[in-house]
Amino acid sequence: MGNLHIYNTLTRQKEEFKPLLPLRAGLYVCGPTVYGDPHLGHARSAITFDILFRWLQYLNYKVRYVRNITDVGHLVNDADEGEDKIAKKARIEQLEPMEVAQYYTNRYRKAMELLNVLPPSIEPYASGHIIEQIEFIKKIFAAGFAYESEGSVYFDVEKYNKSNDYGELSGRKIDDMLQATRSLDGQSEKRHPADFALWKKAAPEHIMRWKSDWSEGFPGWHLECSAMGTKYLGDTFDIHGGGMDLVFPHHECEIAQSKAALGHRSVRYWMHNNMITVNGQKMGKSLGNSILLEEFFTGNHPLLAQEYSPATIRFFILQAHYRSTLDFSNEALQASEKGLQRLLEAGERLKKITPAALTTITIAELSHKCEAAMNDDLNTPVAIAHLFDAAKEINRVVDGKDSISAEDLEKTNAVFDLFLDKILAVRTDNSAEKNLEAYTKAVDLLLNIRLQAKQNKDWATSDKIRDELTTYGFTIKDTKDGVQWSVVNC
Ligand code: ZN
């Protein structure tokens, strides 16, 4: 069955995956910071590691997959200053921080379910592991790599770098980093600008706070993953994953923390998925080009020409290799929608073929080729290309131009079933997805009736539809491009 090779960000090369324990794999992935609705970037990371989770299981590994929920400690900027993202949202919305975290965790899980992303084995919350994080800081202290300043605790990067290589994952050099961050000097409690917070003393207005030896405060963001990763997967574990934007500072800091506290690296293989771009530009909230998953599913976004089903989004993501950038456009998504349809149809046609005595199409190597692609650093686009080639061959049989033997037919069916249902997992009998589609169509239908009523100057009907939908929690906006609708958030 061949061996899995994965690209290790730390060593910058493809390596054969050799687990710590035979046929067991420990996988830790940085999950979402739950202060907003999930967008396409969340989907890419979750789907990338869902494929790894599924493929490892197919290779007979027993996988413990830990994906955390960040509900505390992630500040609005990376310089250890500013408000906690969740606390800020809570203040604006006048909610408890845990209400914000719960609401967006629920929304995230729902979206992942629609995308057919399997739930992880353990989904720990940062706020539920404060004691572990405090213990972790104490170990770093005992090793001499932490210092206290005004009730906060910082990691001593300069001291660590004397005996270790801070920057080994990101390839950054500490001198450059010091240069780049020098402007922060003035107000800092830190000895060196490159130092990062392990514990922050809470300002009086800060809601999320816990008691510690140093102050009433909260843990630094990077710490949670070191603490929870080692708690559930051991002091050394196999794979740590996340988006490429987490390489620095988040994962660089995790490596430093673990080496300082434990005296060795925790993670053996680092894997990072690349980012999504919109017309070549990075997708981001601040850039105004970030599209929420819900907006894809309903088609309600100015950049979207139509709605796209969760399966289409999933297939679109898998048509690029996870280490390549993926550029969003309506044309690309529409091509994915059609491509997926073609594959699903080939899967259906296969089931109806009557076998012949001989196989006259090129199909024998399909299973081997798809497996080889997956074992080559999860190369889903190549696996999909092999399935497309097979689909063409199958169509020749359906059209009566060629034939396939019973044995080859059975094998080909097995490959299609495996990839469509279990690995790519784009063939779903997902009732949630169907419900969503029906719901979207029903609302669109009502709004079209309203539009017609308006054109006929039947104000009573048009007002009734708008008012009633508003009572049910919908917001309806008339724009020059047509009507936009959404369901009111908390
Ligand atoms: Zn993390």
Side-chain angles (χ1 to χ4, degrees):
M1 196 186 287
N3 293 327
L4 174 63
H5 286 71
I6 49 178
Y7 182 87
N8 189 344
T9 316
L10 186 66
T11 58
R12 293 167 178 74
Q13 58 192 11
K14 266 187 219 171
E15 293 171 10
E16 186 180 339
F17 175 61
K18 289 183 179 152
L20 210 53
L21 298 169
L23 286 181
R24 282 181 179 265
L27 169 62
Y28 187 94
V29 174
C30 291
T33 303
V34 280
Y35 72 107
D37 261 337
H39 52 69
L40 199 56
H42 289 107
R44 188 165 199 203
S45 185
I47 289 171
T48 296
F49 295 102
D50 185 53
I51 291 292
L52 176 63
F53 186 33
R54 288 170 181 271
W55 190 247
L56 284 167
Q57 291 182 88
Y58 170 71
L59 296 175
N60 287 325
Y61 285 94
K62 196 167 162 51
V63 188
R64 183 179 295 163
Y65 176 17
V66 183
R67 189 184 64 209
N68 68 291
I69 296 284
T70 296
D71 58 352
V72 67
H74 196 170
L75 303 186
V76 289
N77 73 33
D78 279 340
D80 296 326
E81 300 297 335
E83 250 182 305
D84 180 290
K85 290 186 177 188
I86 289 153
K88 183 180 174 191
K89 183 88 180 171
R91 178 175 57 74
I92 294 167
E93 306 272 345
Q94 296 193 312
L95 294 165
E96 270 294 316
M98 285 302 114
E99 248 178 314
V100 173
Q102 187 66 57
Y103 178 80
Y104 288 110
T105 302
N106 293 345
R107 306 270 292 172
Y108 178 77
R109 288 193 184 130
K110 185 81 202 158
M112 293 307 122
E113 194 188 326
L114 285 168
L115 289 168
N116 217 7
V117 168
L118 296 173
S121 331
I122 304 176
E123 198 173 35
Y125 289 79
S127 67
H129 296 77
I130 302 294
I131 292 167
E132 287 84 350
Q133 294 182 72
I134 290 175
E135 291 304 312
F136 214 94
I137 298 174
K138 286 182 179 165
K139 283 186 195 164
I140 299 172
F141 243 116
F145 291 107
Y147 60 90
E148 189 184 340
S149 174
E150 311 280 334
S152 291
V153 181
Y154 293 96
F155 189 93
D156 192 337
V157 170
E158 197 170 60
K159 182 173 177 191
Y160 170 83
N161 193 53
K162 284 189 180 128
S163 46
N164 296 275
D165 178 11
Y166 184 74
E168 58 184 331
L169 183 72
S170 60
R172 297 191 189 205
K173 291 275 159 272
I174 188 163
D175 292 336
D176 302 341
M177 286 185 256
L178 290 175
Q179 217 71 45
T181 47
R182 191 129 297 170
S183 58
L184 289 167
D185 273 5
Q187 31 77 28
S188 193
E189 300 166 345
K190 300 173 184 178
R191 286 185 192 161
H192 303 288
D195 295 351
F196 57 89
L198 298 168
W199 186 264
K200 284 286 281 181
K201 182 182 175 178
E205 67 277 11
H206 198 101
I207 320 172
M208 289 192 275
R209 48 171 70 219
W210 290 267
K211 285 196 172 68
S212 77
D213 291 356
W214 313 288
S215 63
E216 209 170 271
F218 55 94
W221 170 41
H222 315 307
L223 196 62
E224 62 179 81
C225 294
S226 292
M228 295 189 286
T230 51
K231 176 177 168 110
Y232 294 111
L233 297 172
D235 282 355
T236 306
F237 60 89
D238 294 309
I239 306 171
H240 191 318
M244 214 175 242
D245 53 336
L246 297 179
V247 169
F248 190 89
H250 190 51
H251 292 158
E252 196 74 75
C253 294
E254 273 190 49
I255 293 180
Q257 287 166 167
S258 294
K259 274 173 124 177
L262 309 166
H264 58 80
R265 284 197 188 111
S266 284
V267 177
R268 302 174 62 239
Y269 302 87
W270 283 93
M271 289 177 76
H272 293 95
N273 64 277
N274 213 322
M275 303 288 102
I276 294 192
T277 53
V278 180
N279 300 323
Q281 250 203 332
K282 199 183 162 210
M283 184 178 264
K285 232 182 189 173
S286 53
L287 300 167
N289 62 1
S290 170
I291 309 174
L292 302 177
L293 288 169
E294 190 184 37
E295 292 168 335
F296 277 103
F297 303 158
T298 60
N300 270 303
H301 190 285
L303 286 176
L304 298 176
Q306 59 169 91
E307 70 239 38
Y308 299 99
S309 74
T312 300
I313 299 289
R314 188 176 168 101
F315 192 64
F316 167 67
I317 286 172
L318 293 175
Q319 278 187 295
H321 187 253
Y322 75 91
R323 285 195 288 118
S324 313
T325 53
L326 174 59
D327 198 48
F328 157 83
S329 69
N330 281 291
E331 294 72 36
L333 270 167
Q334 282 157 355
S336 290
E337 191 175 46
K338 285 204 189 91
L340 176 59
Q341 206 50 44
R342 270 212 316 280
L343 274 194
L344 295 177
E345 275 165 22
E348 289 315 302
R349 283 183 184 154
L350 260 176
K351 299 209 183 315
K352 291 175 192 147
I353 287 175
T354 313
L358 282 177
T359 301
T360 58
I361 55 169
T362 320
I363 204 89
E365 291 292 300
L366 179 64
S367 162
H368 174 73
K369 282 178 180 168
C370 289
E371 280 188 1
M374 293 302 290
N375 277 333
D376 181 17
D377 196 28
L378 308 175
N379 204 331
T380 52
V382 170
I384 290 170
H386 291 314
L387 292 173
F388 274 132
D389 287 345
K392 270 189 214 143
E393 300 290 310
I394 292 158
N395 285 340
R396 291 181 62 79
V397 177
V398 175
D399 294 343
K401 292 177 188 148
D402 273 295
S403 63
I404 186 167
S405 72
E407 194 192 341
D408 284 338
L409 182 61
E410 198 186 320
K411 276 191 200 159
T412 310
N413 255 313
V415 178
F416 268 76
D417 286 349
L418 172 71
F419 276 84
L420 294 182
D421 296 334
K422 299 228 168 81
I423 306 299
L424 305 173
V426 285
R427 181 164 65 189
T428 49
D429 180 28
N430 194 333
S431 54
E433 187 178 318
K434 282 186 185 141
N435 287 343
L436 180 74
E437 211 179 297
Y439 156 90
T440 303
K441 286 199 170 128
V443 178
D444 285 342
L445 174 68
L446 274 171
L447 291 172
N448 278 333
I449 294 173
R450 173 173 166 263
L451 193 67
Q452 276 169 11
K454 274 172 93 174
Q455 281 160 356
N456 298 334
K457 301 202 170 11
D458 175 4
W459 309 118
T461 306
S462 90
D463 288 353
K464 184 177 161 62
I465 291 173
R466 191 200 54 218
D467 294 347
E468 298 250 331
L469 282 175
T470 310
T471 346
Y472 304 148
F474 289 89
T475 15
I476 292 145
K477 260 192 242 158
D478 290 300
T479 69
K480 61 179 187 338
D481 303 320
V483 187
Q484 276 181 26
W485 61 269
S486 60
V487 185
V488 178
N489 291 341
C490 75

